[in-house]
Amino acid sequence: MRLNADFSRRAVVTPEAYRWVDSPTPGVERMMLDRVGEEVARATSLVRYAPNSTFPTHEHGGGEEILVLEGEFADEHGRYPVGTYLRNPIGTAHAPRVGEQGALIFVKLHQFSPSDSARKVIDTRTADWQPGQEKGLEVMPLHEFRNEHVALERWAPNLRLAPREYRGGAEVLVLEGSFHDEHGSYPAGSWLRSPHGSRHTPRTGADGALVYIKAGHLPPG
């Protein structure tokens, strides 16, 4: 399977375009954002767990990055409430399960460098925010490895940010609020992938925005 697999091209998925598909495991659905491969794949997805569902034990052959968007995700290593950022490096394994509230998670698979071996669990509800380089911008760093940078950013209402150019590309997931740029409008739930060298000038409206941003990590198209 190849879905949004040309990394030299811009890709955008907004909530009205969501198409949920069943995984091989009952009670677990996926909204595929990009994918290169079949069941074992380089993939970026939203994954929705029904209440009291489980997923079989599996090993992370290429690493796994998770942001819990709704409910509570869990495995034999711990419980991860909404807002948890989790990194499971290559060679780790777990058996996911969720409770009565179910869970919605953002997942990136098979995208780790073999040298990026740090496991991380960050509760973004309690972690510290840092002032950004522009007024009205706050940043919560989550991970850095070589050229890859992962952070949450909080953009104040009615903010126009400086133009951004992405060396090594970038992905943005809108968690709260919405933002706009010269290419379009992106409500909560929107996912954008911008290739190396792309530029845009984000701006917010009255609701501001909370976004996940991962930059510098994309392969050539």
Side-chain angles (χ1 to χ4, degrees), residues 22-34:
D22 292 335
S23 80
T25 300
V28 181
E29 299 175 291
R30 296 179 290 206
M31 168 58 215
M32 300 179 185
L33 300 170
D34 68 22

Side-chain angles (χ1 to χ4, degrees), residues 81-96:
V82 61
T84 301
Y85 177 75
L86 175 64
R87 293 183 68 88
N88 293 314
I90 294 171
T92 58
H94 69 163

Side-chain angles (χ1 to χ4, degrees), residues 35 43 54 68-69 71 85 92 96 104 109 119 122 178 180 184 191 197-198 206-207 209 217:
R35 195 172 189 91
T54 62
V68 183
L69 304 178
Y85 177 75
T92 58
L104 175 66
L109 298 173
R119 183 175 188 270
I122 299 173
S178 62
H180 319 270
W191 172 82
S198 57
D207 52 354
H217 65 297

Side-chain angles (χ1 to χ4, degrees), residues 100-143:
E100 293 183 356
Q101 55 188 322
L104 175 66
I105 61 176
F106 174 69
V107 185
K108 296 183 69 64
L109 298 173
H110 285 266
Q111 299 176 42
F112 278 39
S113 165
S115 302
D116 189 357
S117 59
R119 183 175 188 270
K120 286 190 173 181
V121 179
I122 299 173
D123 186 345
T124 66
R125 300 171 304 170
T126 58
D128 293 333
W129 289 93
Q130 302 176 7
Q133 295 183 341
E134 302 174 62
K135 185 178 180 180
L137 169 65
E138 294 181 290
V139 179
M140 182 185 296
L142 298 174
H143 184 69

Side-chain angles (χ1 to χ4, degrees), residues 158-176:
N158 303 310
L159 178 67
R160 184 180 179 88
L161 293 160
R164 296 186 169 197
E165 179 173 352
Y166 295 116
R167 305 285 300 172
E171 289 178 60
V172 177
L173 179 67
V174 185
L175 304 176
E176 297 176 9

